[in-house]
Amino acid sequence: PALAHAIDLAGRQRMLSQAAIKDSCLLSQAALTGLDPAQITADLTARIDLFEETAGELRAGNEDTGIAPPPNVEAENALDTVQVTWQDMRELLNPALDGTPLGADRLGDLATSYAVLLPQLEDVVWYYVNGN
């Protein structure tokens, strides 16, 4: 069960990162669409917080919540690689966390970074599924 929980969290990281990108795009268009920028910012903050919390739990495991630690060194390395890429993305997302719409250049940089992150997240899932 602990390994299944970890695999679920690793998969959830892909969805959380995708949702963070979506929220940053929505925030950038909120004035044109009538969406509530405060709600978008709150959603973005919650997704990023959960992404970072689960990243830590995946890296260390968590007996209290039943999350298995990485099953092998390849999974550990994959998690480390994700963390490096995520930090670059996080820096790009920081203005949006303050409610500032991102410009086209920053959104472009974010999309480029995400194109690197997504296969890395998929690698993490693969190592958890095939690591034992």
Side-chain angles (χ1 to χ4, degrees), residues 15-111:
M15 292 182 287
L16 289 167
S17 61
Q18 288 169 347
I21 300 299
K22 174 201 61 127
D23 289 340
S24 64
C25 290
L26 285 175
L27 180 63
S28 297
Q29 296 300 308
L32 298 174
T33 62
L35 296 172
D36 179 10
Q39 183 60 54
I40 297 168
T41 301
D43 291 345
L44 176 62
T45 300
R47 293 182 214 289
I48 288 174
D49 289 348
L50 189 54
F51 181 95
E52 292 176 349
E53 178 185 324
T54 57
E57 288 185 325
L58 284 169
R59 187 65 179 91
N62 186 332
E63 283 187 38
D64 293 338
T65 58
I67 300 168
N72 54 42
V73 69
E74 290 86 1
E76 291 176 11
N77 291 340
L79 287 164
D80 291 344
T81 299
V82 163
Q83 187 60 29
V84 169
T85 302
W86 175 252
Q87 288 307 312
D88 292 341
M89 285 185 62
R90 180 69 156 77
E91 213 170 291
L92 293 168
L93 288 165
N94 279 341
L97 290 170
D98 293 330
T100 303
L102 304 181
D105 289 341
R106 188 169 284 247
L107 287 171
D109 291 344
L110 195 56

